[in-house]
Amino acid sequence: MVQMDPYDVLGVPRNASAAEVRRAWIEGVRRHPPDRDPEGFQRLREAHDRLKDPWFRSTERLFGRSDLSSLSDLAEVFSGKRRWLGPEPWLRLIGRSER
Amino acid sequence: MARGSRRKRKRGRRKQPPGAASPERSRDRVRLLLERGRTREAVDLARELTKTHPGDDSEDLLIRARLARAGSLADAGLLRDALRLLDHLEVKHPRAREETRWLRLAIEVRSGRLDHILRELAAAEAEEDDARIARVHDILRREMRNPAIVAETPLLPPDHPLRKEAAAAARIFERLVSGPQAPNEDPPAAAVPRRSPFAPWVLAGRAIQAAYRKDVETLRRLERSLPASSPPSRILPLLKVMAGLAPPAGLDLAEGRVFDAVEGGRGSLSHRLRKLEKEIEEGEAGAAETSAFRLVREIRTRDPTLVPEFQRLLWEAWARSELPLEILDDVFTDTGCSESEMYRYSALTLERHGALYAALGAWDSFLEKAGTRLPPREIAMVRLRQARLAAALQEDLGAESDDPWEVIVDPLLFLDAAAEAFPCARTFEPLMDTLTARGRKEAEAVALRWHESDPRALAPLLHLLHSTERRGAIRKALKWIEKIEAVEPCHPEARGGRFRLLLAGATYRIRRAKFHLARRDIEDLRQTPRGADPEFQCLLDGLSWFAAEGETQRTATLRSMDADLGEHGTDLLLRQMERQLGAKRFVPRLPSRDGRPPPGRVIPILARLARVFIALDWTLFPPAAWKKALRAALESWTDPSVRDLDPLCRIMMNEGEWDILYLLSGKGLLHGGAQRYRFLFYRGQSFVELHEMDRRRSCLRAAQELARRAGDRETEAESRDGLFPDLPQIGVLMDFPAEEDETPLSREDLAHIIEFEANAPLKRRRPRRRRKKIRDIAELFDF
């Protein structure tokens, strides 16, 4: 089971710099202000606290991610990263002949 | 045989001349075929029917069959064939021209040709023919595959409402499928009215957003709103899979491709990773190497940060199946994996397999190979991990403590190396904890190292304060307090610690007759916040009296104490302090004064001294005459306060004066307010006779529960300890249930206990005393 990934919560890549993490945090707080969405804000804050900590990143780098214990788990990592395809594939799907 | 005969029967049925059946049955059959979508057979049969039974009915049926056939050809994507059939239909059946024309328009729209339909729309609008306009809109709703085509067509003027609606719908759809929108931030769709032929596109865009968010409720709502005949509704099966409402197995090839693209190619990647796992498990080294080689490249293209994870997991799986690790060299070197990284993978694999000692070695090799490329923080992290492994190894070795390995794998070595590599709280803390747990003197030296590397860290300063205080190095401890205050001016440990240390210093010096030094300590004590508190003036005056320079100063101090406590109170305080200071050798002789308790001032004096002594963790031993006077004064005490009652209860409990404690707790229960639970605790403690054990129990249980609710951990613990006293035979005799068998007290139970004890008579009920007989005691035992 893949745990809540702080990178996904903040929407930053794993190699994001400290400045990028901070920008994502500020943007996230704008979207989930603590008074209107306390749960979302709490999630964001936990994710930001973890990514801010250089030991967290070094732990992952040195000892591997705790949520990955077998090769097939690796595919699960991609599930949290859905891609936005733009209109083309959807229009192709809508415009094709009947199923 | 059976198959052949079935085919024969089928062929026979098809070739059966329609004339063989009645025309009505043939027409029913044509209608049935049309209903079932078997249009080609329907056309064949209808054509035969027109030959055998010509007439309007048969022709109507043939027209209907051919229109349906054209529709099904268009559905299958054979648009040209469909249009050719419509041409034929127009020639053969001129009366079907109107129907044919509309169907032709629909097929043209489907193929992206808009000229005819828009001309039709223009004509209908010119004639204000609403029915025709509605029909055009209906065709656009059912057949339009992309609103952008209408938005960009030059056949409509730019300000035509339909063109504007199409442009807005195309814009909204594009925005909704190109990136995440916050749940309540959907783009405004006012430009596309609900009745517009392009409204389904806006709904489809929102449904896609909901599916990405896995917002099942919104997706279901939009599914209900989306017309099933509109092309955008075709994506609903895929959206349900994306939202987790349906399994991916139900998707066709095209939908599966889009799903895979949305999921970042997860489907194919998952399949290939599983295949690789299987190949490794089955020991197919060659095939696994090829798969791994391809996968590492693919993962590198998708997300390079995941390559080390892939390599780690591959190494582990490979080692688990005992495949030769040399084969992996190519896979790893291709990605620029260094030798040190391979040691890292190896160490992690060994850890997972429980080979802790080998893992320690692998980590050492990793550090050696990585050398200076590894930042100090990461060196420290590896050392900390090694310390954990070493601790686990030490635990495993357990009984074999004389094993020579134990010296090698002492976690302290790794902890020390970690602190050396990266001195910070995370490395020093475990080192100091381990040293302290082992009672090693080096803890102080380590704390000093920590303090030197980070002068603002409080933990080493506090450790140094406590350790120097334990050693009795009071002056040194005071210096540490100054350093703590420099970091955090109001640190409670420093504030309380300064008073405690100066007091310890003063009493130590009085005991050793170093009165001039003691006087300096007393002056310092007066500068502390607690020393400035009028409550503690009597204590400092008392110390000054013991450390006075001459008789004149002593008399002046005594006068000041008398003014504060009165003659009787001063006498009591000095005697108690003399007892506390211990060595009488150097202590001046106490003045000969009236030591009897002053009537009317017993309670305030005793309560104040009790407060001071409790705060200093000293013990007050009130003389019997004072206790007797206190008991007498309690009966007429009309305005008791928690501030006085609590220390008096504590002192009487320490003295074992149960009757006085009973009376005091009764006052507290009546006047204690929010602190009543503390007096319930004292009331419980006042019951020590065997016949009072039930009351003791109920009071202490209630006190424990109320203290827990009030967050008073100390009283909670004291009540729990009182419940299970160090007299197990009492519990056995009274048949007390075990702690875990207790039913929790309800709010009503608690209120009842408080009310009962608060209103209990001031005089305790005592059983009639009689001489105990052996027979009575024997009755207590069940034999």
Side-chain angles (χ1 to χ4, degrees):
Chain A
M1 192 65 191
V2 178
Q3 298 162 356
M4 190 188 72
D5 188 352
Y7 294 95
D8 281 347
V9 173
L10 281 181
V12 291
R14 297 198 101 72
N15 50 1
S17 66
E20 284 172 314
V21 168
R22 187 169 162 70
R23 264 201 300 279
W25 154 248
I26 291 168
E27 182 57 37
V29 173
R30 270 195 205 127
R31 280 186 167 208
H32 306 278
D35 52 338
R36 275 197 285 153
D37 182 9
E39 279 177 24
F41 177 76
Q42 180 67 14
R43 262 199 310 276
L44 270 178
R45 199 176 65 178
E46 278 169 19
H48 181 237
D49 285 350
R50 289 177 79 185
L51 292 191
K52 215 169 49 167
D53 179 7
W55 287 66
F56 172 75
R57 288 190 171 205
S58 293
T59 305
E60 268 202 6
R61 204 197 77 68
L62 283 171
F63 311 123
R65 289 172 53 175
S66 56
D67 56 340
L68 299 175
S69 57
S70 71
L71 279 165
S72 45
D73 283 350
L74 208 58
E76 291 295 315
V77 176
F78 288 94
S79 70
K81 294 180 175 175
R82 287 187 156 179
R83 291 181 181 181
W84 290 88
L85 310 174
E88 282 312 314
W90 297 103
L91 290 173
R92 268 203 302 278
L93 205 59
I94 291 169
R96 73 195 172 125
S97 311
E98 295 287 342
R99 290 179 86 191
Chain B
M1 178 73 183
R3 277 181 72 179
S5 61
R6 208 166 37 236
R7 203 177 297 141
K8 214 178 256 176
R9 276 203 306 274
K10 208 172 178 182
R11 251 198 318 267
R13 245 200 331 260
R14 196 178 279 174
K15 283 190 172 177
Q16 192 181 19
S22 72
E24 219 31 65
R25 279 191 66 184
S26 298
R27 284 189 194 107
D28 287 345
R29 171 107 188 115
V30 171
R31 285 186 201 104
L32 190 69
L33 287 169
L34 286 173
E35 268 172 32
R36 290 181 179 173
R38 290 160 66 178
T39 54
R40 200 177 72 179
E41 288 170 57
V43 168
D44 288 348
L45 194 57
R47 202 168 51 215
E48 290 296 326
L49 193 68
T50 50
K51 281 179 191 166
T52 52
H53 298 93
D56 284 351
D57 287 352
S58 301
E59 195 183 346
D60 282 348
L61 205 55
L62 181 58
I63 290 168
R64 209 178 127 198
R66 279 181 167 151
L67 283 170
R69 180 67 191 149
S72 64
L73 284 171
D75 287 345
L78 302 168
L79 300 180
R80 278 187 192 172
D81 291 338
L83 289 170
R84 210 172 293 136
L85 181 60
L86 291 179
D87 290 342
H88 177 72
L89 201 63
E90 271 179 352
V91 174
K92 281 270 186 185
H93 310 284
R95 64 196 177 98
R97 193 161 284 165
E98 186 62 10
E99 278 303 303
T100 313
R101 190 168 70 83
W102 283 110
L103 187 56
R104 183 188 295 282
L105 288 174
I107 293 170
E108 281 177 358
V109 170
R110 191 178 295 189
S111 67
R113 274 188 65 187
L114 296 178
D115 47 350
H116 290 127
I117 187 111
L118 293 180
R119 212 169 289 144
E120 181 71 29
L121 178 67
E125 282 173 346
E127 290 168 24
E128 293 181 359
D129 186 346
D130 291 343
R132 269 166 75 198
I133 293 171
R135 197 157 183 184
V136 168
H137 281 194
D138 187 48
I139 287 174
L140 288 172
R141 183 179 293 107
R142 281 189 291 108
E143 306 296 344
M144 178 49 66
R145 262 53 173 173
N146 185 354
I149 298 173
V150 180
E152 289 158 13
T153 183
L155 299 168
L156 285 176
D159 58 344
H160 192 281
L162 201 64
R163 191 170 163 182
K164 279 162 56 179
E165 286 168 18
R171 205 170 45 246
I172 292 168
F173 182 76
E174 186 170 346
R175 187 170 157 194
L176 287 169
V177 299
S178 300
Q181 306 284 317
N184 299 320
E185 289 179 18
D186 280 347
V192 189
R194 199 173 290 177
R195 287 185 178 181
S196 164
F198 304 106
W201 291 88
V202 177
L203 296 176
R206 286 182 179 160
I208 290 171
Q209 278 282 329
Y212 266 95
R213 287 197 304 267
K214 299 198 174 181
D215 180 353
V216 175
E217 284 308 307
T218 310
L219 182 61
R220 285 199 171 125
R221 188 168 45 78
L222 288 163
E223 185 189 3
R224 285 194 293 272
S225 313
L226 201 58
S229 59
S230 69
S233 68
R234 290 179 182 183
I235 57 171
L236 282 171
L238 169 58
L239 298 186
K240 283 182 186 170
V241 173
M242 280 172 64
L245 285 171
L251 298 178
D252 66 20
L253 198 63
E255 288 166 337
R257 276 202 202 108
V258 177
F259 181 61
D260 205 31
V262 167
E263 297 283 304
R266 187 171 70 96
S268 63
L269 188 72
S270 175
H271 172 71
R272 289 167 63 189
L273 284 164
R274 269 198 296 274
K275 184 169 158 266
L276 172 61
E277 260 182 342
K278 199 175 167 199
E279 284 165 353
I280 294 171
E281 269 171 31
E282 289 172 0
E284 296 170 13
E289 186 194 0
T290 315
S291 302
F293 209 73
R294 286 182 187 151
L295 269 166
V296 81
R297 287 188 173 181
E298 188 177 334
I299 291 170
R300 190 166 50 184
T301 345
R302 285 169 182 273
D303 186 352
T305 61
L306 281 172
V307 171
E309 291 296 334
F310 172 71
Q311 287 176 335
R312 173 176 71 87
L313 297 166
L314 178 63
W315 186 284
E316 278 182 21
W318 207 271
R320 197 167 43 240
S321 295
E322 296 178 0
L323 291 174
L325 288 164
E326 308 84 66
I327 298 175
L328 283 180
D329 277 359
D330 287 344
V331 180
F332 281 59
T333 44
D334 184 55
T335 56
C337 178
S338 62
E339 198 183 350
S340 65
E341 286 300 282
M342 292 200 204
Y343 274 113
R344 186 168 71 84
Y345 300 142
S346 183
L348 290 168
T349 307
L350 288 164
E351 276 184 24
R352 196 169 278 245
H353 287 229
L356 303 186
Y357 192 74
L360 277 175
W363 281 120
D364 273 340
S365 304
F366 165 68
L367 290 176
E368 192 188 319
K369 296 284 174 196
T372 51
R373 277 179 293 129
L374 212 59
R377 184 194 301 116
E378 295 193 356
I379 295 174
M381 289 173 83
V382 172
R383 290 300 187 196
L384 288 175
R385 193 169 181 99
Q386 282 184 301
R388 277 198 292 277
L389 291 177
L393 200 55
Q394 221 172 30
E395 208 170 291
D396 285 352
L397 290 171
E400 302 165 39
S401 56
D402 54 346
D403 196 301
W405 281 13
E406 199 185 2
V407 181
I408 303 167
V409 296
D410 189 345
L412 269 179
L413 295 175
F414 298 112
L415 292 172
D416 198 49
E420 189 71 42
F422 195 71
C424 70
R426 290 198 195 190
T427 51
F428 274 118
E429 255 170 29
L431 176 60
M432 276 197 19
D433 288 349
T434 313
L435 285 169
T436 314
R438 292 188 190 181
R440 299 264 289 262
K441 287 181 192 163
E442 295 95 309
E444 197 172 328
V446 169
L448 206 59
R449 254 169 68 196
W450 184 358
H451 170 62
E452 279 162 8
S453 71
D454 183 5
R456 294 195 63 77
L458 277 171
L461 286 170
L462 290 169
H463 183 91
L464 287 164
L465 166 65
H466 294 145
S467 62
T468 45
E469 192 181 345
R470 264 198 306 275
R471 277 196 285 117
I474 291 166
R475 292 286 136 198
K476 218 168 196 178
L478 283 168
K479 275 183 190 160
W480 292 124
I481 282 190
E482 275 169 27
K483 292 201 173 188
I484 292 170
E485 283 176 336
V487 178
E488 201 178 311
C490 294
H491 196 282
E493 197 87 11
R495 290 185 77 169
R498 183 183 290 281
F499 189 87
R500 193 178 61 239
L501 284 167
L502 287 170
L503 184 65
T507 52
Y508 176 81
R509 281 161 173 167
I510 289 170
R511 271 190 221 121
R512 273 159 188 70
K514 294 180 178 174
F515 297 125
H516 66 290
L517 292 174
R519 282 197 295 276
R520 213 171 63 191
D521 284 339
I522 294 164
E523 278 317 300
D524 289 345
L525 273 169
R526 289 192 194 277
Q527 306 307 315
T528 61
R530 188 178 266 183
D533 183 352
E535 180 99 338
F536 287 82
Q537 284 307 307
C538 59
L539 174 89
L540 300 184
D541 286 345
L543 284 172
S544 298
W545 185 86
F546 283 104
E549 200 171 3
E551 207 50 47
T552 322
Q553 201 178 40
R554 192 162 288 134
T555 313
T557 312
L558 204 60
R559 208 171 296 130
S560 153
M561 287 178 80
D562 283 347
D564 185 12
L565 284 177
E567 197 174 315
H568 309 274
T570 305
D571 183 72
L572 178 64
L573 174 65
L574 288 176
R575 284 184 196 288
Q576 292 294 318
M577 285 182 76
E578 183 190 39
R579 195 169 181 168
Q580 194 65 42
L581 289 168
K584 281 188 177 178
R585 221 169 100 202
F586 303 111
V587 172
R589 227 171 172 185
L590 289 177
S592 176
R593 315 177 78 185
D594 184 5
R596 285 174 304 161
R601 288 202 67 198
V602 175
I603 291 174
I605 291 172
L606 259 186
R608 181 170 169 195
L609 295 189
R611 276 198 300 275
V612 171
F613 272 56
I614 288 168
L616 301 179
D617 217 8
W618 286 1
T619 315
L620 187 73
F621 300 98
W626 280 78
K627 288 192 272 194
K628 197 175 168 190
L630 172 67
R631 187 174 181 159
L634 283 178
E635 286 171 16
S636 56
W637 193 15
T638 50
D639 56 342
S641 67
V642 174
R643 190 163 173 267
D644 289 340
L645 277 167
D646 196 275
L648 285 173
C649 281
R650 176 67 57 180
I651 295 297
M652 291 304 123
M653 190 174 77
N654 293 345
E655 286 284 292
E657 288 294 340
W658 309 121
D659 286 345
I660 304 178
L661 184 62
Y662 179 86
L663 289 172
L664 282 166
S665 60
K667 299 258 179 211
L669 284 165
L670 284 171
H671 301 96
Q675 301 269 305
R676 278 199 296 188
Y677 66 88
R678 286 189 61 77
F679 298 101
L680 212 47
F681 160 70
Y682 292 126
R683 172 58 63 95
Q685 290 286 30
S686 74
F687 296 123
V688 288
E689 298 283 338
L690 208 56
H691 72 276
E692 296 171 324
M693 283 300 128
D694 281 342
R695 272 178 87 182
R696 175 189 176 95
R697 226 177 123 57
S698 67
C699 286
L700 291 176
R701 279 188 69 201
Q704 184 187 1
E705 177 59 23
L706 290 167
R708 189 187 64 76
R709 291 183 188 184
D712 183 345
R713 300 269 170 248
E714 204 178 321
T715 311
E716 188 190 351
E718 279 185 318
S719 307
R720 191 176 46 246
D721 293 346
L723 263 176
F724 301 95
D726 297 334
L727 295 167
Q729 67 272 27
I730 293 179
V732 172
L733 290 173
M734 298 306 293
D735 197 21
F736 284 171
E739 196 172 1
E740 60 269 19
D741 298 338
E742 300 277 8
T743 45
L745 291 171
S746 66
R747 193 183 290 263
E748 290 74 28
D749 293 338
L750 294 169
H752 174 73
I753 293 168
I754 291 176
E755 197 188 338
F756 177 79
E757 292 298 340
N759 298 318
L762 288 176
K763 200 166 169 67
R764 294 172 81 173
R765 188 170 55 84
R766 294 194 183 280
R768 278 180 60 197
R769 293 213 178 259
R770 56 174 182 159
R771 284 184 67 191
K772 281 202 169 60
K773 291 180 181 171
I774 292 188
R775 198 181 61 240
D776 298 338
I777 296 167
E779 276 171 7
L780 294 168
F781 297 93
D782 189 20
F783 56 80

